[in-house]
Structure formats: C-alpha cells, structure tokens
C-alpha cells in the first residue's frame, strides 16, 4: 500500500485519558531524573550529609524510592505499548501499511534518542524504547493469553538472571565498565571530580567528554538492571491493554481497575518500603533479593497508579486536572527532552552552574517548577499549533511528507 495515503493520528482521534497519563508520567520522570541532572545523585555520602537540608533530603530520598523510583517509567512503557496497538488498529481501519509506518517511527525515534544520549544527557531511555519497539510487531498475532504470559516471563526473568549472577559471580557488563574506565582515564575524570565535572565544565567540549563515558555508564545500567526484559514486559502488557481497548471501555472494566488499584497498593506499598530500605543500604539482602523487591514493588505500584488515575477519570471526566495534564502529555517527546535541556541550563557549568550545590529538597522544588513551566509552554504552544515541535519533526520524518504545524494548516 502506498504510504502517501497515510496520516498521523488527529486530535479528534486522541483519548484524553492516555494523554493525561502521559502528562502524569512526565511529572514523575522529572522528579526522578532531576537528582541526577543536579549531580546530587553523584555526591559521596559525606558531601550530601554536609548539605543544609541533609536531614530532610534523607527522608525525601526514602520517599522517592517508595513512591517515584521506577513507577513512572512503568507508566511510560505501558503507554508506549498501548500506542503501538493504536497505530496498528488505525492503520488497519484506513487500509494502510501500519508496520511500515511503525518501523519508520521507531527508526526516527532511535535517531532522536541517539542525539539525546550523546549530546544532551546520558540518562536517555528513547534509544532503548526504539530498539525494543522494533521487536513488538513479532507479537501482533499472539493470543491475549500468551501475550500476558510473555509479559510476565519478561518481568520475572531479571530475578533469575540476578540469582545466577549472585551464585556465579559473573559480571555481564564488565567489558562496558572497562570501556567507560578507559574514557574516564583519557579525559581525566576521576572519583574525586566525577560529581563536580559537569558543574565545573567551562565549555560544551567538557560536557561532551563526560557524555561519552556517560553513554557507556547508561549501557552498563541497562545490562546490570536487566532493563531490556523489564521494558519489553511492560511493552507487551501495554500492547494487551491497547489491543483490547481497555482505556476506551473503562465502565466495562471498573471492577478490574478497582482490583488492580487495591491489590497494587496492598502489595506495592509494604514492598516499596523494603525496596527503599534495600536501595538506601547497598542492597543488604543481595542482588537477587533487591531485584525481587523491585519486581514486587515497582510494577504493582505503577499499575495501581494507572488504575487509580483511570478510575478517578471515570467518575470525574470534567475535572480540570485531565486537560491540564493531557496538553503536556501530547508533547511528551518535546517535554522529555526539554527537561534535559533545563537540567543543563540550571545545573551545568555552561549554564547557571548550580549542580552539586543544592540539596534534594531544593532539587525537587526546581523539578516541580520546570514541570509547571512545561505545562504553561505546552498550553501556549498547542493553542496555536497542532503538534509539539519535536512531535512535528518526528511525524514528518515518519510519514515522509510535510505536515502543517499551525492549526489553520492541514
């Protein structure tokens, strides 16, 4: 089928709940990532303890592990899987080659993620999303039951892997660590200046040197954290939700949503307390024990957030919170990368240079302020335009045609 007849999803075809969930996920991701943007996460414990807000910071760190860490990337990953199901469904309705569109979309996202990883921030997730997204079509004809089984297997596999690593002492990321250490030695990045390098950077060249080794650190994190399996499991669960249009049939699934919310919190809150204790105390129950806690805390809590938010939407569709969050959610790519740019401007030496000077309480206040700015910018931008700036570029690259940006354009 000729892809010249293909078009992206129009505003009238969107579901405000999905956009609002995306907007909510952006807030959580902002709160989760800014401790790293601010270099607070890189500080040695002695330096963090000398902060004026050290006592409050310690409590907030616990609360982050309990309520934020991993929960909102869980939401983002579910929404990605749902989006894939929507793309395929819309393409079939319009008799368009949906797989061709999807592969082009993933290829362009891979390029955007690479630029983000190598030139802006080492904590990028887009490249992993794009690479794993390329495998999603393999599951498009799998039955619902097998799809859920595959999702569960992917989510549980990290426990077996880390158990094996704990017993054998194998280090799967050793080669990546050696490469990272090589670049650190080459550029003079040491344990003593690691937390301050970006704050003291006098030029973008210094920032780029740190980003090179940072990209390798990110690969190490993906390997050691078994992120490939976790994300793929969430993608498949999201694909199941999207294929069955559960987001569009909330009334029919009210009981299921209540069960997910209740059991998600019953299981997730106490295990999140243990997970936070493990994370703050160097995995005192071992690597496999920490991974078990992560699995039984992060995923149930993330699903409980999604279910609870959906139930609130079901009973309060006219509440202002939904359009407020949905607008930045429609510009999720722009706002996600925008958070990285704000992090550079505020905390790096090529900007205001506040990195490693601010305690966690100040960092989270700054993150909240950045998100409020993004909400304001998103509302102003979409008042005049059909798409966010990066969404517009991404769509044109995907569909291979010029698309009007302003609302009066087609």
């Amino acid at each position: 089928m000729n892809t010249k007849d293909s078009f992206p999803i129009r505003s009238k075809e969107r579901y405000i709940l999905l956009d609002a969930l995306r907007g909510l996920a952006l807030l959580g991701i902002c709160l989760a990532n800014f401790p790293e943007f601010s270099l607070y996460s890189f500080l040695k414990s002695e330096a963090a303890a000398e902060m004026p807000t050290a006592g409050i910071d310690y409590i907030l760190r616990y609360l982050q592990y309990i309520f934020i860490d991993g929960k909102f990337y869980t939401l983002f990953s579910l929404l990605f899987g749902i989006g894939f199901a929507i793309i395929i469904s819309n393409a079939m309705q319009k008799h368009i080659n949906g797989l061709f569109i999807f592969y082009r979309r993933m290829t362009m996202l891979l390029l955007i993620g690479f630029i983000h990883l190598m030139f802006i921030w080492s904590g990028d997730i887009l490249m992993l999303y794009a690479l794993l997204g390329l495998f999603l079509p393999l599951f498009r004809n799998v039955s619902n039951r097998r799809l859920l089984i595959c999702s569960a297997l992917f989510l549980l596999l990290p426990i077996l892997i880390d158990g094996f690593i704990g017993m054998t002492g194998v280090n799967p990321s050793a080669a990546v660590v050696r490469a990272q250490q090589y670049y650190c030695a080459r550029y003079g990045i040491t344990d003593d200046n690691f937390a301050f390098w970006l704050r003291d950077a006098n030029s973008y060249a210094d920032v780029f040197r740190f980003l090179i080794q940072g990209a390798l650190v990110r690969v190490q994190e993906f390997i050691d954290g078994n992120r490939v399996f976790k994300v793929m499991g969430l993608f498949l669960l999201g694909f199941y939700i999207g294929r069955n249009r559960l987001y569009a049939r909330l009334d029919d699934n009210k009981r299921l949503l209540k069960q997910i919310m209740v059991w998600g919190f019953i299981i997730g809150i106490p295990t999140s307390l243990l997970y936070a204790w493990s994370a703050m105390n160097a995995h005192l129950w071992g690597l496999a024990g920490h991974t078990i806690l992560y699995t039984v805390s992060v995923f149930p809590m993330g699903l409980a957030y999604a279910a609870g938010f959906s139930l609130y939407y079901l009973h309060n569709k006219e509440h202002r919170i939904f359009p407020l969050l949905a607008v930045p959610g429609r510009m999720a790519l722009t706002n996600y990368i925008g958070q990285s740019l704000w992090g550079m401007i505020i905390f790096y030496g090529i900007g205001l240079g506040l990195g490693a000077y601010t305690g966690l309480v100040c960092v989270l206040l700054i993150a909240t302020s950045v998100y409020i700015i993004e909400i304001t910018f998103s509302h102003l931008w979409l008042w005049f335009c059909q798409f966010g700036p990066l969404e517009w570029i991404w769509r044109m690259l995907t569909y291979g045609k010029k698309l009007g940006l302003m609302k009066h354009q087609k």
Side-chain angles (χ1 to χ4, degrees):
M1 181 64 64
N2 192 333
T3 57
K4 289 182 179 180
D5 297 326
S6 59
F7 291 93
I9 298 172
R10 300 287 183 182
S11 295
K12 64 182 181 181
E13 298 171 309
R14 305 186 70 97
Y15 283 86
I16 189 172
L17 173 62
L18 298 182
D19 286 329
L21 278 168
R22 212 169 277 115
L24 178 66
L26 278 170
L27 170 60
I29 287 169
C30 191
L31 294 173
N33 287 344
F34 261 65
E36 188 164 329
F37 284 133
S38 70
L39 313 180
Y40 178 85
S41 296
F42 299 151
L43 291 174
K44 295 181 179 180
S45 57
E46 297 82 5
E50 293 176 358
M51 293 281 183
T53 57
I56 302 175
D57 292 343
Y58 190 75
I59 296 171
L60 285 176
R61 197 61 167 164
Y62 260 108
L63 293 175
Q64 270 203 305
Y65 279 118
I66 294 168
F67 296 108
I68 295 175
D69 187 60
K71 283 74 173 179
F72 291 94
Y73 108 77
T74 294
L75 269 182
F76 235 37
S77 301
L78 287 172
L79 289 163
F80 187 96
I82 293 171
F84 169 63
I86 292 174
I87 290 173
I88 295 299
S89 174
N90 287 341
M92 290 176 63
Q93 291 176 13
K94 298 174 183 178
H95 306 291
I96 299 167
N97 188 343
L99 289 182
F100 180 81
I101 295 171
F102 184 78
Y103 280 125
R104 284 192 58 163
R105 188 175 178 84
M106 291 303 98
T107 302
M108 295 305 110
L109 184 64
L110 183 64
L111 175 62
I112 294 170
F114 176 79
I115 294 171
H116 184 226
L117 176 74
M118 294 305 305
F119 299 99
I120 301 177
W121 186 50
S122 303
D124 174 76
I125 194 69
L126 300 177
M127 277 193 70
L128 180 64
Y129 275 20
L131 288 170
L132 292 181
L134 294 172
F135 294 94
L136 274 178
L138 298 176
F139 297 88
R140 69 188 186 279
N141 295 321
V142 173
S143 69
N144 284 333
R145 181 174 177 273
R146 290 185 178 181
L147 201 60
L148 290 176
I149 291 173
C150 289
S151 173
L153 289 175
F154 276 117
L155 294 176
L156 295 173
L157 188 57
I159 297 174
L160 298 177
I161 294 174
D162 285 343
F164 175 78
I165 291 173
M167 291 187 294
T168 62
V170 173
N171 184 359
S173 64
V176 179
V177 171
R178 286 194 296 269
Q180 184 259 344
Q181 291 172 343
Y182 166 80
Y183 281 103
C184 283
R186 179 176 177 179
Y187 298 133
I189 301 172
T190 66
D191 289 340
D192 292 331
N193 65 23
F194 193 89
F196 309 104
W197 182 276
L198 292 171
R199 184 200 65 190
D200 298 336
N202 295 317
S203 66
Y204 179 77
D206 289 334
V207 173
F208 184 65
R209 293 186 185 98
F210 194 89
L211 291 174
I212 292 175
Q213 66 81 35
L216 292 167
V217 171
R218 190 59 169 164
V219 174
Q220 178 196 352
E221 291 172 349
F222 286 159
I223 295 172
D224 291 344
N226 300 298
R227 189 67 69 89
V228 169
F229 305 110
K230 295 173 183 177
V231 171
M232 181 56 77
L234 293 169
F235 278 2
L236 295 180
L237 183 56
F239 180 49
Y240 170 85
I241 294 170
R243 186 165 72 180
N244 292 280
R245 293 174 54 82
L246 301 185
Y247 58 87
R249 299 187 294 110
L250 297 181
D251 276 311
D252 297 337
N253 295 283
K254 187 187 301 185
R255 183 178 178 184
L256 176 62
L257 289 171
K258 287 182 179 179
Q259 290 175 337
I260 291 172
M261 182 186 70
V262 170
W263 284 106
F265 284 132
I266 287 175
I267 296 171
I269 290 177
T271 52
S272 289
L273 291 169
L274 294 173
Y275 167 70
W277 181 261
S278 175
M280 294 287 285
N281 292 277
H283 304 176
L284 71 170
W285 293 300
L287 180 61
H290 185 74
T291 303
I292 291 172
L293 289 174
Y294 183 98
T295 302
V296 297
S297 63
V298 167
F299 300 139
M301 284 279 279
L303 291 172
Y305 287 169
F309 192 83
S310 299
L311 283 171
Y312 188 74
Y313 172 77
L314 181 60
H315 298 293
N316 302 273
K317 291 184 179 179
E318 303 304 319
H319 198 289
R320 293 180 181 179
I321 191 66
F322 298 110
L324 183 71
L325 293 175
V327 172
R330 286 175 55 192
M331 291 174 48
L333 178 62
T334 295
N335 286 320
Y336 173 72
I337 293 183
Q339 290 173 7
S340 301
L341 294 173
W342 277 110
M344 292 181 72
I345 292 168
I346 295 169
F347 297 112
Y348 294 3
I350 57 175
L352 299 178
L354 298 181
Y357 284 128
T358 50
L360 186 57
V361 61
C362 296
V363 169
L364 295 181
L365 287 173
I366 292 171
T368 303
S369 300
V370 166
Y371 184 70
I372 291 172
I373 292 171
E374 289 191 321
I375 288 178
T376 305
F377 171 72
S378 299
H379 279 264
L380 289 173
W381 182 274
L382 291 180
W383 183 264
F384 300 101
C385 303
Q386 300 183 75
F387 317 110
L390 289 183
E391 284 76 11
W392 179 55
I393 295 171
W394 187 18
R395 285 166 183 255
M396 287 195 294
L397 292 173
T398 297
Y399 293 95
K401 62 176 67 177
K402 184 178 180 181
L403 299 172
L405 177 61
M406 310 305 290
K407 283 191 172 179
H408 65 271
Q409 295 175 306
K410 293 183 178 181

